[in-house]
Every structure is written in C-alpha cells, then in structure tokens.
Amino acid sequence: MFSKVLFGGCKLFLRHDITMSPPEQSVFGVSACNRKKWVENIMSKEKNTILVVQTMRNELMVGTFLGETSFSAVTVIISLSTALDLSCTLQALESYDPILGSPSTLFSPVFKVGLICIILAAIFATSMQSVRFTKHISVMGASYSSPTCDHLLGSMKCAILDMYNRSSLFLFVSQRLIYLAFVGVS
C-alpha cells in the first residue's frame, strides 16, 4: 500500500512541477528544446543524413526491446497460469503474500495478475507506437536530402519534430508504465 501511495504522490508532484514551472526548469522542457535543436541541426546539413538514420536506429532498438520484453512477460504469465492449477495456487497466495511477507494481502492475486497483464499490454502498445513514429522519422530524415524536396524542407522539419516529440512521449509513457508494473506486483 505504501508503494502505491508513494507512486501516486510522486506523480502528483511531477504533474504540479511540470505545469507550474517554466519549460526550461523541467526535464520535459529541456528535452523538448534539445529535440528541436537536434532536428534543426540535422536538417541544416546534408552530410547529417546518416546520423539521422543511426540515431533513429538506436531509438528503434530501445522501443523494440521494451515491447518484446513486455510481450514475453505476458506470454510467460499466461502460459504459467494455464499450465498450473491456478485455483489452488491463487488460494495459497491469498493466505500468504510472498512479496511483502505478510499473512494476508490487500488485493486478490487474480486482480494482481490481471493488473500486471494489462500494464504489460500497455507497455507493449506504447513501445510499438514509439517504434512506429521513430521509423517514420528515419524514413523522412533519410529522404529530405533529395533535390526535389527543397521546397518542403520547412514543413518536413516541423513534421519530423512533431513525430520525434510523439515518439519520445510514447517511450516516456512506456518507461513509466514499467515503474507502475513494479508497484502492481507489490
């Protein structure tokens, strides 16, 4: 219970800190400014095309790792719950919580398993959205140096920056859901 209260308090503090402080004083504002400068720098020189692709490849690997890990965890949970005699196992877990060491639990183990599966599915979905936006950035960043695209350079910068901000948001949400999964276990 303490971990849930601590997690909720931390989220409320962060929400208050983000909305009340100037953008330069929060990590989110500094990150957004850095992404904007990165896009402007990358799009200003044609020789940076390969840098866009390499940077986005690294971002793709992070999103793919998070998505594959969460999908694997859901698969293991589902296969274990179907392979074991789940009703007997859950009755044993209801009488003793192995994580906290207490004789009784606040929430039913079925609720915990369901919650963790839902959180892991959300981690998978947000990670894959991050991968999708990152892939679009990689394709657009590699194709902006074409001589037929000179008149579209300004709008491409805005589109790439918008997609990069969305990709970062989805990656941020998936990482925060991982923290929530740990709270769901306890």
Side-chain angles (χ1 to χ4, degrees):
M1 185 67 175
F2 177 72
S3 62
K4 292 165 186 58
V5 171
L6 186 64
F7 183 78
C10 179
K11 289 299 170 190
L12 287 175
F13 172 74
L14 284 175
R15 175 60 55 199
H16 178 267
D17 190 41
I18 291 167
T19 57
M20 300 306 258
S21 65
E24 297 82 24
Q25 291 184 355
S26 69
V27 173
F28 304 105
V30 171
S31 296
C33 291
N34 285 338
R35 284 190 298 272
K36 184 176 181 179
K37 288 178 184 177
W38 182 82
V39 168
E40 289 173 356
N41 186 21
I42 289 297
M43 300 289 281
S44 65
K45 300 177 185 114
E46 190 174 323
K47 67 178 183 176
N48 291 335
T49 305
I50 192 70
L51 187 60
V52 172
V53 174
Q54 289 174 341
T55 304
M56 292 303 115
R57 181 197 64 210
N58 293 342
E59 298 254 349
L60 281 169
M61 286 192 288
V62 169
T64 305
F65 175 75
L66 287 175
E68 287 177 356
T69 305
S70 64
F71 184 77
S72 299
V74 168
T75 304
V76 166
I77 289 172
I78 290 172
S79 63
L80 283 177
S81 66
T82 56
L84 300 173
D85 185 11
L86 192 59
S87 60
C88 292
T89 307
L90 291 177
Q91 286 176 355
L93 282 175
E94 285 179 359
S95 63
Y96 181 76
D97 189 359
I99 296 170
L100 298 176
S102 63
S104 65
T105 61
L106 185 60
F107 297 107
S108 166
V110 174
F111 177 76
K112 284 186 178 182
V113 169
L115 178 68
I116 290 175
C117 285
I118 290 170
I119 291 171
L120 289 172
I123 292 170
F124 177 76
T126 55
S127 298
M128 291 301 105
Q129 284 296 320
S130 173
V131 166
R132 185 177 74 101
F133 282 117
T134 305
K135 186 176 178 186
H136 292 318
I137 295 166
S138 181
V139 169
M140 286 181 72
S143 65
Y144 83 92
S145 61
S146 170
T148 60
C149 294
D150 286 341
H151 65 285
L152 298 174
L153 191 58
S155 61
M156 283 185 85
K157 279 184 186 179
C158 291
I160 287 176
L161 181 61
D162 184 46
M163 279 191 258
Y164 199 17
N165 284 333
R166 288 180 187 199
S167 173
S168 297
L169 174 70
F170 279 113
L171 194 60
F172 171 78
V173 170
S174 67
Q175 291 169 347
R176 292 309 171 261
L177 284 170
I178 290 171
Y179 296 153
L180 189 61
F182 285 117
V183 171
V185 169
S186 65

